[in-house]
Structure formats: structure tokens, C-alpha cells
Amino acid sequence: MADVIPGYSEFLPTFGDLCQLIDEGELSGLFGALIVRPLQTLKNPDQRYLIVVDALDECCQPDRDVLLQLIGGFDKKTPNWVHLLCTVRDDNQLTGQLEQGVQRIELKGSSDAMTLDLKRYLRDPMSRLIDRISLDGALNELSQHSHGSFLAAYLLKRKLEGHADGSKLALRDVALFPSGLEDICREYFQRFYDLLSKKYSGKETIAVYSGVVGILALAKEKLSPEFVKQVHAGLDASLDLDPLRGLLDFDETGAIGLHHRSISEWLFSDRTSAPLAVTPGNARQRMSDAVFVWLRSILEVSASSNSAAAAVPTELVNYALRHAVEHLTDAPKNQDSIACLLCSLVFIERKLKVPGVSLEDLLGDYRHSHYQATGAASKLITLEAYMKRSADLAQQIESYWTFLRRRGDQIARHPDFILQFAANYSTAPRIQQNAQNDLQERPWLEDVTAGADTPSTCRQVSGVICQSDLSNDGRSIVVLTQHEHSVFLHLVNATTGEYTGDPLDITGISDCKGQCVRFLPDNNHLFVGSLSTFVSLKTWKPITSALDVQSLQMKENFAIECCDAVANILAFGINTLPWNGRTLHLGIYDLKTKKAKLLEVHSFRFGGSSQFGIKALALSADGSLASTCVKHQKKVELKVTVWSTATLKQLHAVDIENDTLTRCFFVGSQSLVISGGFATPDNHQLTYFWALQDKKARLFPNSGGDNTSVAYARGTQLTTVHRYRTSSQFTVSRWRKEAGKQKSPDDRLLLRGLERLCDLIATEKSLVFLSRKFVQIYQFADLAAAEETRSTPGSFALRNTVVEGVGFFPRSDDPVVVHGSSKASSGDEDGGPPDTVTVTRVSVKNDGVLFANEFFAPEKLERRNKGEEAEIRCFQGEHTSLNICSCTSDGAMVVVNYGSDVRVLDVASGAQRSIPKLAEVSKEQGTAASKMTCVLSTREPLVALMYSERQGSLFIFDLRSKVLESSLELKSDPGSRMSDFAFIPTNGNVVTYHRKPDQSLVVWNQRTGATVSRQTGVDVVYVRQSPSSDRMAVSLRPPKTGSDGSLVLRNCDNRFNIPLSLPQGSGSVPRRAECGDVEFSADGTVLLGMFTEARVVRLWNIGNGEVLKDLVYLHATPTSELIGMVTNTHALVSDGWMLHVIDVDSGDVVAVLRSADGLCPKRGGRGLRISPKGGLIAGSTESTAELRLFQCHGLAAVKRKTTLQLFRIK
């Protein structure tokens, strides 16, 4: 249609919207998006178009009824210049479902017109085989043999085309041709059976025949002809299938399949006699056996079968990967085989590599259903019902489905690394262990600090969830769903998630307006948006409501969008559409008297937009108050009003700057909570608290701009669930009394594993989240159990730990962590950083346990203010002024900067000393607020210290002396101020940068204080230092706006100073000061640069600055940063969530890990760091400052070769 109808393609949905429609699986939604809405939007093209749908009867059973409804309403929903033509077999049951307005035309097979069409169709192949005199008679004969079926005529034509050139037929030969489709099929299959009977014994002939023919008849797509080898090793596809050639279709790859499903139906028909007939059950068993055999090579079921399985063609393996679950569920007693597939990471990995297979296709296997033809009828087969008697296997399959669903975004982005994602899935130890075993000797990263998801029960519903409500006794949840054109009610146990009874179809309730559902106060009936009909919970059937509908004087055209019911009062929001404008009303029924009151909440002078309306309402516990949340103008604003239900007068009102909120609750009688729900976008999921006496609603605690949250209230009890946007961890807070009267909640629990915030229902025992497709239930007991301390004595406890700094102990993989306890964990609602910090050396054991060795007991930490932190910090990483804690190169001493006190620990003796204050080393008197900035040398035990009162000087302290005294003072020019400083690793020189007054970069001798070099006028962004030479890479800002920056390679004395060549399209280097673009290799011989705009990692030789190679890095994002080299052959890149390990030799990404929470960038003191031995990566989360440790596996370095030599060898 896009090629035929002008402008049609411009109104098609975007790829993302189309994918969402496909995921939802609604045929009506796809039909509307692809057909109806584009046609409605187009202007009249001044010509007519015809859409043809052929063989409607061949549509699969689940979609047929919906498609017939769509076809019936096609004429009403589309412009009159487009028409629809459908062809269908003579099926009264099927055609009877079409609306009366659909015009029917019967094409009779015996009509003269059809006979002429058949003769015309057969003339060309017949004319070359018979003389002209007999041609017309032969065509008459063949048209009669076709029985009015073009399928039969097509097969007869292929029979004629099978005759060799020069062959001649007489009229009597034509009379012997098979008559009708059944005779044609019988002739071909008889020839095939006869050929087999000459090669095999009687029983073997039957087995081979039924195997080959049964597989062909059940195949969902064309198969490689080599499948016959799997039936019998002695078969030769090129010779033995020749008798069936007239019934087979071939594609360009040589794959074969029966031409039409009518041939399959003939084989399975009761009218077909033995030995040509095939029993459907036997055929399904042979097919299920075949697909499992085809998959043995990848599943490694048994060593003995590997040699035979290895010979299976790739095409057959791919076919089995696509359709194995359907074929296995078609035959009995395949539960073990199905579990073997669906609980195999190899199967998952291989299936995702099959062309045309998506993650949704794979997930569909775990929720599989299909219709199995059983004669004229069909039977629904579901995987859930098939596995019902194998509860243990079903549970294992469910765990793999949960893994795929939870890690779906990662798998879709990096399908080749599914084993690595599974190896870090600690929620299911069996999956994790299997993946780790499969990754032996392969490179991968392990998150040893990852926490398991909180246990939950997840139920998928058919259709889309629209509304829900909790029963008054808290035991049941009613869920309203829409599937295609039908609306259903489901009752769900609020604790177990089990369905209570079958879904109830309420589509037939004619006056059901809108989509809402509510338990009535008697807990025996449901309000579903209909004023004339309730739903009885006892009989699970619609009943008369007995409401006085006439007392509610409404126009005919209205919709009920939201409702609430308490204390014999039913309230609902009404949108009316009268001729003179749109109005919004609040309807209130007294359930005792059955009488109604009507309150006009808002009216629109000129009709109002369809986006306006009453979005939410709530009743107070005694029913005396009602609140409405109204969207009534184009501003991003919601008007919240409280009314008296007795007098219908307005009592309070407030405006909220968020128009996507869909739920509100009274908490007590003097406050309201307004929150998001189903229709609220993720970034607008916020919770507001409004005390009625206040003039403004406020964001609820823990619902700041960096957070998202939802809430649920019942009486005076309130439950909120919130998280930071960069965290996967949710915080559940419960107030048992009115939330406005107490600062901190009664309970605060952590929850992991929830995909996104959506509708929330909270009971005494459970939390229920309802999204569009799923009902997910968490037990409060499980959340409380997760809070219990699981740490063993002497181990490092991650829970409630806030990281302030991360480094590494020399020549080890042990991180040194500066950390404190979260204030939120101790009941402080506002949270915030800890006041005191501890310094601990952490060792990662083989079993993942973190062993702790405390260096410093808790001490008060004075932080720099934001202004000081914002000052230029051009030296970043370990052993810079950003680090709170550092170790000497031999590990003998540890230095910690507490802000106003720099402490030195002798590791062997445990003795501590403080570096003197300014007054002790200078005649100047330091202030009480004096703060210190220090850097530890990696070459020798020297500390450079700058006092806040003397920012133009550096004091050098030798830690080996018994008395800590300043051995040297480096003084800059008068008026100059040191912005940052560091030691050069190889020679111990000190390098300082002075932004004011002359933008100078100065190198000093650390022993004499002499100036080694001084370069002015350099606007430095950052400096990177080589670990094995005096080379430095200096990134410079562009001299003027709009021009590009530069990257310079120089040494200490500045005699070597050359600009480095940058990739084209890389832009300025860098664009922002916090960007970390370059790093030296671990051996210091190569410089690597990350250029996110060009998506390139460039490598330079630091000896002369020449470009060695460019690595294409397609995963680059604006937040990507080069962390460093893990080994001399592997570089680490992070975008804040994903860690990628790149082989710098090949340029391939060899390991991928996604952090559950956003990671702090490396520019900070707690950003990502690589251990000296390259076995561990340490960092912290950005929002919650939790420690994250990633262990490196299989990243072996090339021994006795530098990174530069690896390239030079080639």
C-alpha cells in the first residue's frame, strides 16, 4: 500500500510505536495503526483503491474472529474511496460472523466463466504436448478434471510441465489424468510409496513413508530436503523425493514444502485410505522427535549422539529453534524435552542468532499457545496446561522466563553476551552457576556486589490491564482488562496471585461507560461504570443495580472515567458531551436510597479538548468529603478540589504542576495524597502530599526531582514506593498513622527486581504492582527478610554503606574503601551523606564473600563545599587530590584526608600520626575552618599538601621521618593560585596547574624545589600521566567558541611537545571539563583516546605520537568514558550503566556487564578504578553511593610484551 497509495507511508507509525503494538499482541491495534488511521488521514486521491485479502479461512484460529469483526466494520471506519475484497471458502460458520452490510458474491465452480478461465490457464502447457485439432477437447477434459478448483488446475499444469520437450499426448492420455484434488494427491503419494516399497520391507516402508510425509505435512515453513536423512539414513533427497516433485514448492535455497495445506488435510483425512493416509497423532510424534534430534548438536544431550547430530544442516537446526516448542507440545510426554530446551542458555543464545528471531519470539516460547487442528475443529494447546503435572519443571521454566524478561533490554542490545548476563543473575543461582560453568576460559566480568531480586509472583494477563481495585477485606483484587474489542473482569488473590474463577466478559453491558471498576461497600458487588448493572461476586454475573437512573439527569453522550465507593456512597466522575459544550460532573449515589446528586465540577465555554476531564477522585473514610483531580486547561496542571458530599459546596482547592497523575487518596480526613498510575509516564511518576489547611501541595518525602514514586492509601495507612532514577533499588515506606503527623515512616524496606513503577495496591501482607500486561506481587515478609544482616563476622557489609572514596592497595586486587553509614538507614528521612567515615581494605574471596580489614576507625569527615569541588581539577583518578585515601607504593603506609586533618597510618604497627597544621609549619596562624588538600606520591613516601589559607604554596612531607616536618615549600609567583597538583609517577616530580593569573603548567623537582619547566597560556581541561615514563597527555580548550580543542603529548621538561592527530568528526576535545577522553596503557607505551561523536577509540605511540590504529566502537554514547586498561590487551569503557571490555588488538568487545544501578563517573573520588593487578574494578553507584566491585575473568594479558610491541610485531 505504501508503494501504491500516494502519501500513505507518511502516516504510518514509527518503528518504536509499531514494536510496542506488536508486543501488546492486539490485532485491532495493528489494524487501526497500519490501515484505518492512515487512510482516514489521507486526502481524497480522486481515484478508487481495492485492498484484497485472499484465503481468509486460512487465518489462524485466535485471530480469525477479531479479523472478521474488523472486516465487518471496515466500511464505517475508512473513506469511501477505498474498498476491501476478501476471498473465503464456502464456510457458513465463518461467513455468518460477518455483518449483514457486507456484500457476498458466490463464485460457483461450474460457471461458464470459470471454465473459460481454467482452459485459458491450461492452454500454454497443453499446446506443446498435443495437436491443434485435439487441443480444445483436451482443455475441456482437464477443466472437468479440475472440478472448478484452481489448486487442482495448478497441480495439473505442473504435471503437464513435467513432460519432457518433444513428448506428445493423445486425447485418450488426457482422459487418464487424475480427476480432482484427491485423485491428484493419491497419484503422487502412491508413486512415492511404491518407490519406497522397492527399497525397504513392508513395515519399514510404512515407517519411512509416514515419517517423511508426516514431517512435510506438519512443517510450518519450507525445510531443507536433508531432513529425510533424519528419517532414514539411506534416503537420498535428490532421488527419493522426485515422485512428489509435482506437489512440492522450492525456494531459492533449495528448501521444500507442500504447495498447499489442502494436501496436508488430504493426508490426515478419514477419506484417505491406507497405506497413503497418515495418522495425525503419529505424525506429530515423529515431528516432535525430529526437531529434538535436530537440536541435539547444540544441546549436547549425550556424547553418543553428537556425531550424528553434528551432521544436521544449519537450516534444520534453525527451523527447530524457531518451532520446537509448538511441535513438542503437539505430542504427549515431552515435558522433559521442553524443559531441556527452555532451561538451556545455549538454546536461548542460539535461537536469538536465528535470522528473523527477536527477543519477543523467544519470550513467546515460555508463554506458548497454539491451536491444534483436530478434524473440522481445533483445540487450544498452552504450555502452562501442558506442564501442569510437572510442577518442578514448570518452576524452572518460569525462572528462565523471568530472567529473560528482567534482562530483556540488555539481551536485545547485546544478544551475543547472554551467557555473561546470566552469569551475573544472582536471583536464580542455578541459571547463574550454569552460565559461569559455560564461561570457563572465556573473558567476562562478574558483579560480586550484585544483590538478588526480591522474590515475587508474576502473572501475565491476556489483553491490557486498564483498572484495578482491592476488596474491602483486603483479600482479593479485581482487574479490568481489554482484549481487542472485549472487556473482561478477573479476580486475583491478593497474596498468591492465583486467579479466582474464570474471566467474566462484560462487553455485553450496553451502558458500561468508560473503564473503571470498584468494590462496593457491601463487598458483594462491583461497580463497572454502568448505572443500570452491577456485577455480583457471589454468582460472578451481571445483575440489575436498582439505582434510580432517572434521578441522574444526564445527556446521552457521557463517559464515567473514575469512581470510588465508601460508607454506602458511590461517587464517579462524568464527562458529558452536550451540543453546546463539554462539561465535567461529579455524580454521587446514596446506595441505601438509590438516589443521585449531581455536581458540575467544571464547564467549558467552547467544548474543551478531549484530553480534559476528571482524572481521579476519592472519598473520605466516612463519605463526607469528595476530592476531584481535574485537567481543564492546556497548562501542565491539575486542579485538585475537595467538596462536601452533603452540601455539594467547594471546601478546598489547590493546583499541582503535573497533569499526568491518575490516583488520589484521603489520608485521614485532613490530607490528600495524589499519585500516578497506569497512564502516567515514568518521568512523571511523582507523589504529592496536601494538607487541606495548606495553600500548596508538596512533593512527598523521598519524591524529589531525582526520584520517582507511587503511593497507595487505605484509611490512615499510607504506603509509598520510590527510587532514584539511576537506581534499580526501590524503597518501600509505610506509615500506619496519618503521614502528615510523623516525619519518618514506621517501616522502610528495600525492594529489587521491579521493572518500573506503575499502579500500586498495598495490603497488610503484600505489595501488588499492576502494569499493562502483568500483576506482580511482593510479600512484606520477603522484604523484611532481605533486611536481615547476612554478613559473617569479619566480612564487609554492603547494606546501608555509603562510599566516599575508592582506591586500591598496591600490587593487589584489594580495594581500599572510605565509607560511612547511610543516615536513611538510621531513620533520617532526609538521608544525606554520613558525618563520620571508616577506611577499610576489602578482599574478594573465591566464593564472593567480601573480607574486611579496618584501617581507620570512624572519624568525622569535613567535605569541601560545592564551590570548592567545582574548581578545576585537571588531575583525576587515583593518587590525585580527588582521593580521600591513598597508599604508598610499598603498602607500608595509608594516608587519609579528613578535610581538616590528614592522618597517616603505619600498616605494620597500627600507629597513627597527623600531618601538622599550617601554624605548625609556618609562622601564619591557621583558622579553625582550615582545610587541607593532599596528594601522595606513587614513587616514594612523600605527601604534597596545600592549606586553604596558602593556596599559592605546596608543602612536601617525607613520611619516613620520625617527626613529620615540612621538608620543602614550593612557592608560586605572588598572586598565583594552584588549582590542582599531582606527582609524576616515574621520577616523582611535582606538576601544578595555575588557572590564575596566567594559565600556567609548572613542573617542580620534589627534592630541591627547582622549576623543571613552565608553560603559560595553556587552558587545561585535564592532564593524564604515563605510569612508566614522564609523558603527559594534556587536553586543551579551544581558543575561541566554535573551534576545536586539542590534545598535546609532552614530557616533564617540555622539550618533547607535539600535538596529536584526532579522528575526523570527533569535535572539540573534550567538549566538557568532566569528560575523560584519554588514558595510558597499563605499561605506559600506548595512549588511548575515546571520541564519542566519531565512535572511535584511537591508539597513539607515546614515543613519537604516531597513530597506531582506530578501533570502531559503535556502542559509544555521550556519557561514555574510557576508564583505562585492564591488561596490556584489554581496555575498559563505561557509559554509566554498561561496562564494555575491548580487545585493543582486534577491536572486538569481548565482555559486557550492565550495572543494576547508575555508576559514578571516574572523575570523582568514588568513580571507577582498575586494580593494579587488573583483576578487579571498583567504584560506586551515583545516586546511592553503594560500593560496586566487578571481578575480571579470563582477561589474560600477553606475557613479556608491551601494548606497543603487540602492534609492532604485526
Side-chain angles (χ1 to χ4, degrees):
M1 292 174 64
D3 295 333
V4 175
I5 303 178
Y8 171 82
S9 60
E10 298 177 9
F11 299 102
L12 291 173
T14 63
F15 179 76
D17 293 339
L18 185 60
C19 289
Q20 183 175 351
L21 287 169
I22 294 173
D23 292 346
E24 292 174 358
E26 291 192 19
L27 185 58
S28 60
L30 281 170
F31 194 82
L34 296 176
I35 305 295
V36 176
R37 283 193 287 276
L39 293 176
Q40 289 175 338
T41 311
L42 286 172
K43 295 181 180 179
N44 192 331
D46 297 328
Q47 57 180 322
R48 295 191 176 190
Y49 290 92
L50 180 67
I51 301 173
V52 179
V53 179
D54 188 28
L56 184 60
D57 53 285
E58 296 184 19
C59 177
C60 60
Q61 183 70 31
D63 296 330
R64 185 184 299 170
D65 295 341
V66 178
L67 188 56
L68 288 172
Q69 292 180 17
L70 296 172
I71 291 171
F74 181 84
D75 191 50
K76 299 176 183 178
K77 296 181 179 180
T78 55
N80 57 11
W81 49 264
V82 63
H83 303 273
L84 184 65
L85 172 66
C86 302
T87 65
V88 62
R89 292 183 187 181
D90 187 12
D91 187 335
N92 293 331
Q93 183 179 1
L94 190 148
T95 56
Q97 294 179 255
L98 294 172
E99 294 187 5
Q100 295 299 319
V102 176
Q103 185 179 359
R104 297 173 176 83
I105 301 175
E106 184 178 359
L107 302 177
K108 296 183 178 180
S110 59
S111 67
D112 293 339
M114 181 170 288
T115 301
L116 288 174
D117 286 341
L118 290 171
K119 291 171 66 175
R120 189 181 300 113
Y121 178 70
L122 295 169
R123 177 176 292 275
D124 287 345
M126 178 59 78
S127 61
R128 73 182 184 87
L129 300 173
I130 201 166
D131 58 84
R132 295 178 60 184
I133 297 175
S134 305
L135 178 59
D136 193 57
L139 292 174
N140 284 329
E141 187 75 32
L142 281 185
S143 65
Q144 293 176 8
H145 284 211
S146 299
H147 291 188
S149 167
F150 259 91
L151 175 58
Y154 172 79
L155 296 177
L156 290 172
K157 180 184 177 182
R158 294 184 66 170
K159 182 177 177 66
L160 293 173
E161 292 171 344
H163 286 75
D165 292 338
S167 302
K168 293 297 180 181
L169 293 177
L171 194 57
R172 61 179 177 275
D173 298 324
V174 177
L176 298 176
F177 271 45
S179 179
L181 182 62
E182 292 189 6
D183 283 352
I184 295 171
C185 291
R186 186 176 294 107
E187 178 183 280
Y188 280 104
F189 285 110
Q190 186 65 56
R191 287 171 53 194
F192 179 57
Y193 186 87
D194 292 343
L195 182 145
L196 295 177
S197 63
K198 296 176 181 178
K199 298 179 63 173
Y200 307 108
S201 63
K203 289 185 178 181
E204 195 173 13
T205 298
I206 295 174
V208 174
Y209 170 85
S210 60
V212 173
V213 172
I215 289 174
L216 278 173
L218 291 174
K220 303 302 176 183
E221 58 186 78
K222 292 182 176 65
L223 294 172
S224 166
E226 292 303 311
F227 82 89
V228 299
K229 291 284 188 184
Q230 311 303 317
V231 177
H232 195 288
L235 287 174
D236 186 338
S238 60
L239 299 176
D240 294 333
L241 292 180
D242 191 65
L244 295 176
R245 184 170 295 274
L247 299 178
L248 300 176
D249 283 342
F250 298 79
D251 66 13
E252 62 277 2
T253 66
I256 61 173
L258 294 177
H259 173 70
H260 196 271
R261 75 172 191 174
S262 296
I263 303 172
S264 303
E265 292 173 356
W266 179 85
L267 285 167
F268 296 142
S269 173
D270 295 336
R271 298 191 302 271
T272 305
S273 59
L276 302 184
V278 177
T279 305
N282 292 340
R284 294 187 188 111
Q285 187 62 57
R286 293 298 295 267
M287 189 60 160
S288 69
D289 293 343
V291 294
F292 195 71
V293 168
W294 298 343
L295 292 177
R296 279 184 178 175
S297 60
I298 64 171
L299 296 176
E300 298 179 353
V301 175
S302 63
S304 60
S305 64
N306 280 348
S307 58
V312 178
T314 303
E315 295 80 5
L316 292 179
V317 174
N318 288 345
Y319 175 90
L321 289 167
R322 283 192 289 266
H323 304 289
V325 176
E326 179 170 351
H327 289 307
L328 288 172
T329 53
D330 259 345
K333 300 180 181 180
N334 280 328
Q335 285 84 355
D336 289 339
S337 299
I338 291 172
C340 181
L341 293 181
L342 298 183
C343 298
S344 166
L345 292 170
V346 178
F347 169 80
I348 294 170
E349 186 178 34
R350 285 293 300 271
K351 177 156 185 171
L352 287 174
K353 293 180 180 179
V354 175
V357 171
S358 66
L359 179 64
E360 290 303 319
D361 297 325
L362 179 61
L363 286 169
D365 280 348
Y366 293 81
R367 290 295 183 267
H368 177 79
S369 66
H370 73 278
Y371 280 87
Q372 182 188 89
T374 55
S378 57
K379 175 184 177 183
L380 178 63
I381 304 293
T382 66
L383 180 65
E384 182 180 12
Y386 191 92
M387 302 296 297
K388 196 167 186 178
R389 295 186 178 180
S390 303
D392 292 341
L393 296 179
Q395 188 175 3
Q396 293 178 29
I397 292 173
E398 187 74 9
S399 67
Y400 276 79
W401 174 76
T402 303
F403 159 68
L404 290 171
R405 189 171 56 84
R406 290 286 296 124
R407 299 293 184 264
D409 57 336
Q410 305 169 31
I411 295 169
R413 185 178 175 186
H414 298 284
D416 292 337
F417 295 94
I418 187 170
L419 285 177
Q420 300 191 21
F421 298 136
N424 284 286
Y425 187 63
S426 56
T427 302
R430 180 171 182 169
I431 297 176
Q432 184 180 33
Q433 190 59 53
N434 289 342
Q436 291 181 1
N437 292 339
D438 291 339
L439 286 171
Q440 293 291 337
E441 308 301 327
R442 294 166 62 179
W444 64 287
L445 300 178
E446 178 184 4
D447 187 349
V448 297
T449 48
D453 293 345
T454 307
S456 67
T457 301
C458 186
R459 303 291 181 188
Q460 186 172 7
V461 300
S462 58
V464 176
I465 298 177
C466 303
Q467 286 292 333
S468 62
D469 190 35
L470 178 67
S471 64
N472 298 311
D473 59 10
R475 296 179 179 180
S476 301
I477 295 172
V478 61
V479 180
L480 184 145
T481 65
Q482 181 170 351
H483 183 64
E484 305 297 351
H485 296 289
S486 300
V487 180
F488 296 91
L489 291 178
H490 310 257
L491 271 182
V492 181
N493 185 296
T495 303
T496 66
E498 296 290 339
Y499 289 107
T500 305
D502 296 326
L504 175 64
D505 188 348
I506 61 171
T507 311
I509 302 178
S510 58
D511 66 333
C512 190
K513 308 291 186 180
Q515 294 178 335
C516 61
V517 63
R518 189 70 57 181
F519 282 93
L520 294 180
D522 62 8
N523 213 38
N524 292 323
H525 300 90
L526 293 172
F527 176 70
V528 292
S530 168
L531 300 180
S532 65
T533 307
F534 291 160
V535 172
S536 170
L537 291 170
K538 292 182 178 179
T539 64
W540 198 229
K541 293 180 180 179
I543 62 171
T544 303
S545 67
L547 295 176
D548 185 355
V549 180
Q550 300 302 321
S551 65
L552 192 71
Q553 298 178 2
M554 296 299 302
K555 304 253 178 142
E556 291 185 2
N557 196 2
F558 70 92
I560 297 177
E561 298 183 340
C562 49
C563 60
D564 198 6
V566 297
N568 292 316
I569 293 179
L570 170 64
F572 44 89
I574 305 173
N575 282 357
T576 64
L577 299 167
W579 292 109
N580 61 348
R582 182 181 179 89
T583 59
L584 307 179
H585 292 78
L586 175 63
I588 301 176
Y589 263 103
D590 187 320
L591 294 177
K592 288 184 177 180
T593 65
K594 309 297 183 182
K595 299 293 183 180
K597 299 177 183 179
L598 193 63
L599 168 67
E600 185 174 293
V601 176
H602 192 86
S603 63
F604 300 92
R605 184 176 180 183
F606 300 107
S609 169
S610 60
Q611 64 177 306
F612 299 158
I614 302 178
K615 302 299 183 183
L617 69 80
L619 291 169
S620 60
D622 59 2
S624 62
L625 302 177
S627 69
T628 57
C629 301
V630 178
K631 167 72 174 174
H632 63 95
Q633 55 185 344
K634 292 185 177 180
K635 291 182 180 179
V636 184
E637 191 173 85
L638 206 63
K639 185 176 184 63
V640 184
T641 309
V642 176
W643 313 83
S644 167
T645 57
T647 64
L648 301 184
K649 291 184 178 180
Q650 176 179 318
L651 302 178
H652 310 276
V654 72
D655 291 331
I656 295 177
E657 294 182 357
N658 189 336
D659 62 352
T660 63
L661 306 178
T662 57
R663 310 181 83 194
C664 69
F665 309 91
F666 275 94
V667 183
S669 60
Q670 296 300 315
S671 56
L672 273 176
V673 168
I674 306 96
S675 183
F678 284 115
T680 307
D682 287 350
N683 58 333
H684 291 283
Q685 288 280 22
L686 298 172
T687 299
Y688 297 82
F689 183 88
W690 178 34
L692 300 185
Q693 69 272 16
D694 295 341
K695 296 181 179 180
K696 187 177 181 180
R698 60 182 174 89
L699 281 171
F700 203 64
N702 290 330
S703 302
D706 291 333
N707 292 10
T708 58
S709 65
V710 293
Y712 183 84
R714 198 172 173 89
T716 60
Q717 296 188 24
L718 173 65
T719 303
T720 65
V721 180
H722 83 278
R723 73 163 175 178
Y724 289 101
R725 297 183 193 276
T726 57
S727 173
S728 65
Q729 180 174 281
F730 294 77
T731 301
V732 180
S733 302
R734 287 200 294 178
W735 288 261
R736 302 188 183 278
K737 299 179 181 180
E738 291 191 37
K741 298 181 179 179
Q742 59 186 94
K743 181 179 180 181
S744 300
D746 297 289
D747 300 312
R748 183 184 286 108
L749 305 168
L750 298 180
L751 183 154
R752 285 186 176 273
L754 185 64
E755 295 180 21
R756 58 181 295 270
L757 288 174
C758 45
D759 250 21
L760 168 68
I761 292 176
T763 72
E764 284 294 325
K765 296 182 178 180
S766 59
L767 279 175
V768 184
F769 294 91
L770 301 103
S771 59
R772 290 174 62 85
K773 284 283 190 180
F774 301 98
V775 178
Q776 194 160 1
I777 301 177
Y778 294 87
Q779 305 299 327
F780 277 113
D782 292 332
L783 272 67
E787 288 298 297
E788 296 178 3
T789 303
R790 298 189 181 98
S791 302
T792 58
S795 68
F796 184 74
L798 292 171
R799 194 178 310 281
N800 300 322
T801 296
V802 177
V803 174
E804 291 289 330
V806 177
F808 277 98
F809 203 73
R811 299 187 298 276
S812 75
D813 288 327
D814 294 350
V816 177
V817 185
V818 182
H819 60 95
S821 297
S822 169
K823 287 185 178 181
S825 66
S826 59
D828 189 340
E829 182 66 22
D830 296 328
D835 293 327
T836 60
V837 294
T838 304
V839 181
T840 304
R841 177 180 178 178
V842 180
S843 300
V844 181
K845 302 303 180 182
N846 292 333
D847 56 1
V849 174
L850 305 182
F851 184 78
N853 180 17
E854 187 176 288
F855 281 156
F856 289 87
E859 293 281 350
K860 183 177 178 59
L861 177 67
E862 295 186 10
R863 295 171 179 80
R864 302 182 181 94
N865 58 45
K866 293 184 178 179
E868 291 173 322
E869 287 287 358
E871 281 191 51
I872 178 64
R873 296 285 173 187
C874 57
F875 301 100
Q876 299 169 11
E878 279 202 87
H879 298 285
T880 65
S881 59
L882 289 173
N883 268 41
I884 298 176
C885 177
S886 299
C887 304
T888 56
S889 57
D890 58 2
M893 284 175 278
V894 180
V895 178
V896 180
N897 184 2
Y898 290 103
S900 59
D901 183 20
V902 176
R903 200 78 57 82
V904 181
L905 168 71
D906 185 286
V907 175
S909 64
Q912 295 185 23
R913 297 178 291 173
S914 291
I915 291 182
K917 304 292 191 297
L918 178 62
E920 300 175 53
V921 296
S922 173
K923 296 180 180 180
E924 300 180 21
Q925 183 65 37
T927 64
S930 174
K931 293 184 180 179
M932 306 178 187
T933 303
C934 73
V935 176
L936 180 64
S937 172
T938 58
R939 185 174 182 269
E940 47 194 339
L942 299 179
V943 172
L945 195 69
M946 182 176 69
Y947 300 96
S948 57
E949 297 93 339
R950 292 276 296 273
Q951 296 188 23
S953 298
L954 275 185
F955 294 87
I956 309 296
F957 293 87
D958 190 336
L959 301 181
R960 290 170 296 193
S961 61
K962 294 183 179 180
V963 180
L964 287 177
E965 296 180 346
S966 172
S967 60
L968 182 66
E969 180 180 0
L970 306 179
K971 294 183 178 181
S972 56
D973 296 337
S976 179
R977 180 179 178 181
M978 295 184 185
S979 300
D980 202 4
F981 56 95
F983 285 94
I984 294 176
T986 53
N987 57 25
N989 286 171
V990 178
V991 54
T992 61
Y993 180 64
H994 310 252
R995 179 156 299 281
K996 295 178 181 180
D998 55 359
Q999 295 181 332
S1000 57
L1001 190 64
V1002 185
V1003 179
W1004 314 73
N1005 185 290
Q1006 76 276 19
R1007 291 297 180 185
T1008 65
T1011 301
V1012 177
S1013 68
R1014 179 186 181 91
Q1015 184 180 5
T1016 60
V1018 285
D1019 194 355
V1020 172
V1021 179
Y1022 61 80
V1023 179
R1024 296 285 183 267
Q1025 300 164 282
S1026 169
S1028 61
S1029 69
D1030 67 346
R1031 292 285 196 266
M1032 293 183 290
V1034 183
S1035 175
L1036 303 176
R1037 284 188 176 85
K1040 58 182 180 180
T1041 305
S1043 60
D1044 289 345
S1046 58
L1047 191 63
V1048 174
L1049 186 65
R1050 55 161 288 179
N1051 64 354
C1052 286
D1053 58 15
N1054 206 25
R1055 294 178 183 177
F1056 177 85
N1057 188 318
I1058 60 172
L1060 296 177
S1061 173
L1062 306 180
Q1064 292 184 355
S1066 60
S1068 55
V1069 182
R1071 289 192 176 275
R1072 56 188 188 277
E1074 64 269 20
C1075 180
D1077 282 311
V1078 300
E1079 291 289 346
F1080 284 88
S1081 62
D1083 51 37
T1085 60
V1086 170
L1087 179 69
L1088 293 84
M1090 162 71 72
F1091 299 91
T1092 57
E1093 292 185 14
R1095 293 191 170 188
V1096 163
V1097 176
R1098 173 161 287 189
L1099 285 74
W1100 296 272
N1101 179 353
I1102 72 161
N1104 53 21
E1106 70 170 323
V1107 176
L1108 295 173
K1109 67 187 304 185
D1110 284 340
L1111 307 177
V1112 178
Y1113 179 62
L1114 298 178
H1115 304 293
T1117 69
T1119 59
S1120 294
E1121 57 183 5
L1122 185 64
I1123 306 302
M1125 295 283 288
V1126 181
T1127 70
N1128 61 348
T1129 58
H1130 297 95
L1132 177 67
V1133 177
S1134 168
D1135 65 1
W1137 291 91
M1138 301 293 294
L1139 299 180
H1140 291 134
V1141 177
I1142 306 173
D1143 186 323
V1144 297
D1145 186 18
S1146 65
D1148 296 333
V1149 175
V1150 297
V1152 174
L1153 184 145
R1154 187 188 190 279
S1155 173
D1157 304 281
L1159 298 171
C1160 187
K1162 72 173 185 179
R1163 65 183 180 273
R1166 56 187 180 89
L1168 288 174
R1169 305 282 188 267
I1170 300 173
S1171 68
K1173 295 179 67 176
L1176 196 74
I1177 302 159
S1180 65
T1181 60
E1182 186 172 20
S1183 57
T1184 56
E1186 295 179 356
L1187 180 65
R1188 288 292 178 264
L1189 302 178
F1190 309 105
Q1191 201 162 27
C1192 304
H1193 299 278
L1195 296 175
V1198 178
K1199 296 181 179 180
R1200 293 184 293 276
K1201 292 289 188 297
T1202 65
T1203 306
L1204 180 61
Q1205 287 174 331
L1206 293 175
F1207 296 108
R1208 286 294 185 227
I1209 291 173
K1210 296 185 177 183

